[in-house]
Amino acid sequence: MLLIIYSGSLQFALMSLISSNNTILLITLLSVSISFRQVFYGIGLFDKYKELDSIKKNYSIFALTDESYSLISFLDLNRSNGKI
């Protein structure tokens, strides 16, 4: 399942959804809603990635995970406060 599903939280949710014989429509709607937070992460980083070329920026936003978003935001916040 790891090869076709990128979101770790979605992998756990899908195991219970599939095993309880839910409809494909319900599984699809829940999958989209769980993974939709990645869109907001990407939108929040447009300004930070504006100096990158198009390919690097698109890949950086596509490959973004919860952990990398928190690190990028934390490091940027501390740089603006003069701590790093």
Side-chain angles (χ1 to χ4, degrees), residues 56-76:
K56 289 180 183 177
K57 179 171 60 175
N58 290 336
Y59 177 74
S60 296
I61 291 172
F62 170 76
L64 195 61
T65 62
D66 297 337
E67 295 82 5
S68 61
Y69 178 78
S70 65
L71 284 174
I72 291 168
S73 299
F74 174 76
L75 291 175
D76 188 51

Side-chain angles (χ1 to χ4, degrees), residues 46 49-62:
F46 276 149
Y49 290 149
K50 65 183 171 186
E51 67 273 353
L52 295 177
D53 63 28
S54 179
I55 293 173
K56 289 180 183 177
K57 179 171 60 175
N58 290 336
Y59 177 74
S60 296
I61 291 172
F62 170 76

Side-chain angles (χ1 to χ4, degrees), residues 19-70:
S19 66
S20 61
N21 295 325
N22 287 303
T23 63
I24 297 294
L25 179 63
L26 178 66
I27 293 172
T28 303
L29 288 174
L30 280 169
S31 299
V32 168
S33 64
I34 289 172
S35 298
F36 200 69
R37 70 181 188 281
Q38 303 296 97
V39 172
F40 293 110
Y41 289 165
I43 291 171
L45 293 178
F46 276 149
D47 289 338
K48 294 176 185 166
Y49 290 149
K50 65 183 171 186
E51 67 273 353
L52 295 177
D53 63 28
S54 179
I55 293 173
K56 289 180 183 177
K57 179 171 60 175
N58 290 336
Y59 177 74
S60 296
I61 291 172
F62 170 76
L64 195 61
T65 62
D66 297 337
E67 295 82 5
S68 61
Y69 178 78
S70 65

